[in-house]
Structure formats: C-alpha cells, structure tokens
Amino acid sequence: MPNERLRGAIVESGLTMEQVAERLGVSPKTVDRWISDPTRKPYRRFQYAVASMLRREVSYLWPDERTAEEVTSSSESELVQLYPHRSVVPKDAWVKLYANASVCFDVLVYSGFWLTEDPAFHRLVREKSADGVPVRFMLGNPSSEAVAVRGDDEGIGFAMAAKIRNALMNYAPLFRLPGVEFRLHGTTLYNSIYRADDELLTNGHVYGVGAYLAPVLHLQRVPGGEMFDTYTESVERVWQGAQPISSPTDYEGADR
C-alpha cells in the first residue's frame, strides 16, 4: 500500500514533491518512491528531516518506526561517559579504546597532534596492522581552507596547518605498515572522532577554544540507539571524499 500519510502531509504542507526533494538534497523520484513503494523507506536522517519539515512525528509518517521517546530512551544507553574537557580524559583512554579494535580502527581529526607523540599508540597501530585490522587515519589537508578557518577559530592561525604537517611526519613510520591508510580531508570538522568497532570517543570543536578544552563523549553502540551511528556515518562520508596519500608530504590543495 502507498504511504498515504506521507502523501497527505506533503499536500497539507503546501509543498510540492520537487520542493521537498530540493530541501532534502534528493531527487523527486526518490521522494515519490518513499510514497509509492512501502519497502523503500528513507534513511533515519531523512525520516527526521521530513518529519521536521512536515511537522509530524516520524512514527506517524512511518507507523512501524519507533517514537522519538523510544529512540531517546535507547540512545541514553549509548553514553558511557561524558568528560567536560579532553584534558581530563584519562591519558590511556585512547589506547584502551583501540586495544579492543578487531574490525574497525578509525581516526578522524584535523591534526590530533598529541596522539602522534604517544609511543603506546604507535605500538598499538603496529600490533593491529600485524593482526590484519584495517587502520584508517583522516587528517586535515594543511593546504585546505577548512584548516585555515579552524586555525583562525582557535586563535592559532597558520599553526594549525603546521601541527598537521608535524603530525604527518610523526606518523611517517606507520605509512609502510600493511592495512594502514592515510587520507587528507578538507571538510568543516565539527568533531574529532576516534572509533574502534562499537565504541568511540568524540571530541567536539568549539569556536574560540582548542579541542583540548572541549567536551568528549564516550559512546557505545546499543540496539535501538542512533547517536553512535550518526557519528560513524559522518566518518564514512569524510573517508569517501578524502584524498589518499602514500607519504607524509604527499598532499596538495588550494593555498590559503
């Protein structure tokens, strides 16, 4: 049966199919399939966007979906620990996190310079490489506009790009390891994300302060929760659009 609730809500909103599609960044055919084919439900992020746009509950537009209260209840269990600043996170928290990685070892940062100076972390990357665990590093392209803006936001200017270059040099021995990949991104990074399998640490970026003063969330994946997946989907999008590099000096981009 077609999704008449969705069709009716769009009509009542006064929006056309094309306008809904444009606001979501999808094609009109995609929206039409959400209505005509009940097996073609949108991703959760689109469900929330549509519900907000049409001022309806997700569970009204898609009755077999959970209510906002149910999602919130599940997501509360995802939070393992909240730290007010990265500086108060136990020093070995990152090594302990990645020590449990067996299928996923991701580092998404601009520089993450402090981590590049930790011998225990370097040793752990080597061990995971030897065990066949894929290790993915995503650092900011030091020549990108996003890095320049972040440097200005933190009040350190060109030092941000310099930190990335230094971080890459510190990681130089890791470039030769099997299964270890480095990519550079030019995205506006709202969080640094450190993910190991079904756990992650995410360090928020706050305007005007360094990341070491910003909060850190320790999250775990739990059935029905959505925060963890929101962050990991972000990691995947950055990875797909990032530039692979084969050496610490193998980067290019628009000059500031």
Side-chain angles (χ1 to χ4, degrees):
M1 294 288 291
N3 189 335
E4 296 298 345
R5 289 188 177 187
L6 178 56
R7 189 198 308 274
I10 293 175
V11 172
E12 289 178 17
S13 73
L15 297 172
T16 66
M17 203 85 71
E18 290 73 18
Q19 288 171 323
V20 171
E22 182 179 1
R23 293 187 183 187
L24 295 173
V26 300
S27 71
K29 288 185 178 179
T30 296
V31 178
D32 182 66
R33 282 194 292 267
W34 293 343
I35 295 173
S36 60
D37 185 352
T39 66
R40 297 293 296 272
K41 291 191 300 184
Y43 291 122
R44 289 291 287 182
R45 64 178 182 274
F46 286 131
Q47 289 181 5
Y48 283 123
V50 170
S52 176
M53 185 189 312
L54 302 179
R55 303 193 178 193
R56 294 287 196 279
E57 281 283 345
V58 169
S59 58
Y60 171 81
L61 298 174
W62 292 277
D64 56 340
E65 294 294 333
R66 294 174 302 147
T67 65
E69 290 76 13
E70 290 172 330
V71 172
T72 298
S73 178
S74 297
S75 294
E76 287 176 354
S77 300
E78 292 182 276
L79 181 61
V80 178
Q81 182 72 47
L82 167 63
Y83 300 97
H85 312 291
R86 195 187 72 200
S87 57
V88 302
V89 179
K91 185 178 180 181
D92 61 351
W94 277 265
V95 172
K96 287 183 177 180
L97 175 79
Y98 285 118
N100 295 320
S102 60
V103 294
C104 185
F105 187 128
D106 291 334
V107 179
L108 171 58
V109 294
Y110 273 137
S111 72
F113 183 75
W114 53 278
L115 197 57
T116 74
E117 296 187 309
D118 187 346
F121 180 70
H122 281 251
R123 185 163 54 250
L124 182 59
V125 173
R126 293 188 181 92
E127 291 173 358
K128 293 301 178 180
S129 170
D131 290 340
V133 178
V135 179
R136 304 190 300 181
F137 286 95
M138 289 154 271
L139 279 70
N141 187 325
S143 299
S144 69
E145 183 64 22
V147 167
V149 170
R150 183 58 192 168
D152 291 341
D153 289 349
E154 287 194 15
I156 61 175
F158 291 108
M160 175 60 72
K163 286 171 62 177
I164 297 172
R165 293 186 177 96
N166 288 339
L168 288 168
M169 294 307 298
N170 287 348
Y171 280 142
L174 304 182
F175 275 80
R176 300 188 297 271
L177 297 177
V180 177
E181 295 184 72
F182 284 84
R183 293 188 181 184
L184 298 181
H185 67 87
T187 60
T188 299
L189 198 61
Y190 300 102
N191 302 271
S192 295
I193 301 174
Y194 310 84
R195 188 252 182 115
D197 293 357
D198 290 335
E199 289 189 72
L200 64 80
L201 293 165
T202 177
N203 184 190
H205 292 180
V206 180
Y207 181 81
V209 300
Y212 71 98
L213 290 174
V216 172
L217 301 179
H218 182 181
L219 301 178
Q220 63 182 349
R221 174 180 276 142
V222 300
E226 296 188 355
M227 288 196 298
F228 184 92
D229 288 339
T230 295
Y231 284 106
T232 56
E233 287 174 10
S234 173
V235 172
E236 293 305 320
R237 286 194 290 271
V238 174
W239 178 258
Q240 293 302 319
Q243 171 194 342
I245 57 173
S246 57
S247 75
T249 57
D250 181 21
Y251 55 82
E252 60 185 21
D255 294 333
R256 183 176 180 184

